[in-house]
Amino acid sequence: LRSACSQAHSPRFDRNLLSAGWVKGLVGLSSKRDGLKRIPQYLQSAGITLVIESALPGMTIDAAVIRDGERTMVIGLTLRNPREVEFWPALLHAIAHARLHVSLGDWDTIFHENGAPASEPFQEDADVFAREALVPSSGWAKCTSRSKPTAATIVEDAHLLGVGIAVVVGRCKSELGSLFVLRVPSANRDVAKAMSGE
């Protein structure tokens, strides 16, 4: 929260701004060369302050959503795993909690670990929200990489869906689990370096 307060003043958070179109625009940044750098400003337009803090040794938290009073919504990411393929699910899961739970007053703070089983209905809600926001089921049904995940089909599907390669690789990984071993270098770029322009 101290880090968030030190940043430029954000507009008041309004959950209604997190419409389907706004979420689609956010995910669409995954396909842009400078998309990762544009995320903090995009979030700020809806009153969300993004803070990135290093993970503490032994800590397994990837994201946190924190409400500070009536005005401020903070999403904190640890980039514990800095690869882009891990970043998008963590961010969209946090957006889901901001929209569905924290903004409604159900919780003041929610922590999330990528890959952890959804032990509570509210975690399952956020998992579904994130998955559908990144790659809607209707779009995924048309993707060749569902059954034949190769570098070529993943690139084709990313273009078809209007998202970055890392988003499609993430969906393949979540659907195929340990069977999915394809390594796509562009899905593994370091988010911290990309956001800082390195």
Side-chain angles (χ1 to χ4, degrees):
L1 287 173
R2 286 192 199 102
S3 296
C5 288
S6 70
Q7 294 187 25
H9 185 67
S10 296
R12 186 184 186 92
F13 175 76
D14 180 354
R15 71 185 296 272
N16 295 316
L17 293 177
L18 274 59
S19 63
W22 183 91
V23 172
K24 186 175 181 179
L26 173 62
V27 176
L29 293 177
S30 67
S31 67
K32 310 294 184 195
R33 180 181 290 268
D34 65 342
L36 290 171
K37 286 179 68 174
R38 291 163 54 185
I39 288 171
Q41 185 176 2
Y42 192 92
L43 296 180
Q44 219 169 38
S45 71
I48 298 172
T49 300
L50 178 65
V51 174
I52 296 176
E53 295 284 348
S54 299
L56 297 172
M59 184 175 73
T60 60
I61 294 171
D62 292 291
V65 184
I66 307 163
R67 182 181 57 196
D68 182 26
E70 294 299 315
R71 180 182 184 91
T72 307
M73 185 70 70
V74 178
I75 289 180
L77 299 177
T78 64
L79 300 186
R80 184 170 62 100
N81 186 332
R83 297 180 312 141
E84 188 174 0
V85 70
E86 303 292 338
F87 168 80
W88 286 104
L91 177 62
L92 267 296
H93 191 98
I95 294 288
H97 282 312
R99 173 93 170 69
L100 301 174
H101 307 117
V102 177
S103 65
L104 297 178
D106 296 342
W107 307 89
D108 288 324
T109 304
I110 294 178
F111 297 100
H112 171 67
E113 176 187 348
N114 278 359
S119 56
E120 299 286 343
F122 75 95
Q123 291 287 9
E124 189 172 342
D125 290 346
D127 283 345
V128 171
F129 180 103
R131 185 177 62 244
E132 288 298 306
L134 289 165
V135 180
S137 296
S138 57
W140 183 238
K142 301 171 187 172
C143 290
T144 308
S145 54
R146 284 176 59 225
S147 56
K148 188 182 175 186
T150 66
T153 60
I154 286 170
V155 169
E156 288 172 10
D157 289 342
H159 182 70
L160 171 74
L161 296 167
V163 299
I165 291 168
V167 172
V168 178
V169 170
R171 183 60 179 257
C172 288
K173 183 180 169 189
S174 71
E175 295 283 332
L176 303 174
S178 61
L179 297 175
F180 185 65
V181 295
L182 181 66
R183 300 285 181 252
V184 181
S186 58
N188 292 321
R189 68 177 169 160
D190 188 300
V191 172
K193 289 180 179 177
M195 289 183 102
S196 64
E198 292 181 30

